[in-house]
Amino acid sequence: MKRVLITGAAGFLGSHLCDRFIKEGCHVIGMDNLITGNIDNIAHLFPLKQFEYYHHDVSTFVHVPGKLDYILHFASPASPIDYLKMPIQTLKVGSLGTHNLLGLAIAKNARMLIASTSEVYGDPLIHPQTEDYWGNVNPIGPRGVYDEAKRFQEAMTMAYHTYHGLETRIVRIFNTYGPRMRVNDGRVLPAFFSQAIRGEGLTVFGDGSQTRSFCYVDDLVEGIYRLLKSDYSQPVNIGNPDEITIKEFGEEVLEMVGNPKAKLIFKELPVDDPKVRKPDITRAKEVLGWEPKYSRAEGMAITYEYFKKVVERK
Ligand code: UDP
């Protein structure tokens, strides 16, 4: 039985990964310090013998008894308001946390996959973003703590690969959504769904002409699983290239929820908010035979059912 360590296990992506590896018959060790994670996301796994949970901050020394085959490092505050509130922890988990886990991977002879991000491209000057684009990041802007931690994480991981010969995988994750996103994490989809359900204004930042491309979580998990199993150590974009402006996205949510009290309202655009974002997924198609299966309409319908349960309609 393969033994897998998943950091950030109680988070949105981490918890879905725990489910997937349990389904694949692995023994899963979930680790989290719950600064943004929610234990409810993995509560259903606690009765299973196949699952263990360690409450731990991976920015400090990480000890795991027994063998490990895979380490997936998904611990980090991941929404702009979270990393603004926790800038030092964000920098530490991406840098010191990654270093600790790489050391653990060496000690256990485990394969290490890190969760990188489209944020390594910053406010991109090429569109769509290919993996060979180096990015346009402001290191000292409000997003710098996340972006630079993730860029350091990639550099450190690649150094362990080239210097120590460690088996490493780097996934660059684009905007992803689905059940278990935190209602108040500040990201656009939970914000819009909860505002629409409550009959409030949907807070469009700027004029809403900035674009994003949203990937349903099951598609993302499939891409990550395939990347882990592949022998490919260069970064791979995983995301859905179906691009939409934030204003159009707000209109889609309004139509889906159909609450007559809800409408779009416009707020100031945050500093360094990327104007466009869309993955070029040629590499994922060629190397992993992967592409997203869920349309936005399908993924949003499933996600809306989740938000209906967790947000009270007014
Ligand atoms: N956004 C918005 N209203 C919100 C939250 C976000 O208009 O209440 C915008 C934000 O300015 C950005 C996009 O939606 O252009 C996606 O933001 P999010 O925080 O979800 O993630 P990002 O892609 O910026 O990391």
Side-chain angles (χ1 to χ4, degrees):
M1 188 188 257
K2 299 275 189 212
R3 285 170 54 90
V4 188
L5 171 66
I6 299 175
T7 74
F12 165 48
L13 296 182
S15 65
H16 283 282
L17 285 165
C18 288
D19 286 345
R20 174 64 187 258
F21 281 88
I22 293 278
K23 229 183 251 166
E24 296 293 337
C26 299
H27 184 90
V28 174
I29 299 158
M31 196 172 271
D32 210 299
N33 66 352
L34 301 181
I35 60 168
T36 58
N38 179 357
I39 205 79
D40 293 345
N41 289 337
I42 47 171
H44 60 288
L45 300 177
F46 277 76
L48 306 180
K49 277 210 193 72
Q50 251 178 290
F51 183 74
E52 283 174 79
Y53 174 71
Y54 289 8
H55 185 94
H56 184 68
D57 177 354
V58 298
S59 302
T60 63
F61 185 83
V62 182
H63 173 71
V64 175
K67 75 155 191 162
L68 278 179
D69 298 287
Y70 305 125
I71 299 174
L72 286 86
H73 183 22
F74 278 70
S76 178
S79 91
I81 59 161
D82 285 340
Y83 46 78
L84 279 177
K85 267 189 273 170
M86 293 174 270
I88 313 290
Q89 280 142 309
T90 302
L91 280 159
K92 283 172 77 175
V93 73
S95 55
L96 306 180
T98 302
H99 190 210
N100 290 334
L101 293 162
L102 285 164
L104 183 68
I106 295 273
K108 304 281 184 184
N109 198 19
R111 185 178 294 177
M112 167 102 170
L113 182 146
I114 57 155
S116 187
T117 167
S118 55
E119 285 284 328
V120 299
Y121 304 123
D123 190 2
L125 303 178
I126 71 143
H127 193 67
Q129 292 77 54
T130 50
E131 289 88 346
D132 53 14
Y133 177 49
W134 294 347
N136 177 37
V137 170
N138 173 6
I140 55 163
R143 288 177 175 254
V145 294
Y146 184 70
D147 301 8
E148 295 298 4
K150 292 292 188 180
R151 289 168 68 96
F152 176 88
Q153 179 183 49
E154 286 199 9
M156 187 67 133
T157 301
M158 203 42 96
Y160 268 67
H161 176 68
T162 50
Y163 184 75
H164 288 302
L166 185 71
E167 284 200 53
T168 54
R169 307 287 179 264
I170 300 174
V171 56
R172 290 190 181 148
I173 299 170
F174 283 66
N175 295 66
T176 302
Y177 68 96
R180 301 186 192 155
M181 287 188 97
R182 245 171 51 232
V183 174
N184 58 352
D185 86 348
R187 278 187 279 198
V188 67
L189 184 139
F192 282 3
F193 263 132
S194 53
Q195 290 158 344
I197 292 169
R198 291 185 189 126
E200 297 167 353
L202 275 61
T203 50
V204 176
F205 295 163
D207 62 4
S209 63
Q210 69 273 32
T211 69
R212 293 294 185 273
S213 310
F214 297 98
C215 183
Y216 184 63
V217 63
D218 287 7
D219 280 333
L220 184 91
V221 166
E222 178 62 28
I224 290 170
Y225 190 78
R226 288 190 191 199
L227 176 62
L228 178 72
K229 292 291 170 127
S230 78
D231 59 1
Y232 196 75
S233 53
Q234 295 294 306
V236 179
N237 289 341
I238 299 285
N240 189 322
D242 186 7
E243 186 182 15
I244 185 171
T245 69
I246 294 303
K247 183 163 175 273
E248 285 165 338
F249 186 62
E251 284 158 356
E252 276 190 7
V253 172
L254 281 179
E255 192 174 320
M256 182 173 266
V257 175
N259 187 335
K261 284 189 252 164
K263 58 176 185 355
L264 301 187
I265 57 170
F266 292 85
K267 299 267 178 187
E268 206 176 318
L269 188 68
V271 177
D272 294 341
D273 197 288
K275 285 178 270 312
V276 288
R277 183 180 291 154
K278 168 182 172 163
D280 181 316
I281 57 165
T282 309
R283 186 176 285 183
K285 280 186 187 161
E286 284 174 5
V287 177
L288 311 175
W290 175 89
E291 61 182 326
K293 297 267 179 292
Y294 287 82
S295 66
R296 196 170 52 251
E298 290 165 330
M300 290 284 283
I302 301 168
T303 309
Y304 178 37
E305 289 307 310
Y306 173 78
F307 279 101
K308 266 200 258 184
K309 276 187 236 141
V310 294
V311 179
E312 206 185 320
R313 192 176 179 120
K314 285 187 186 153

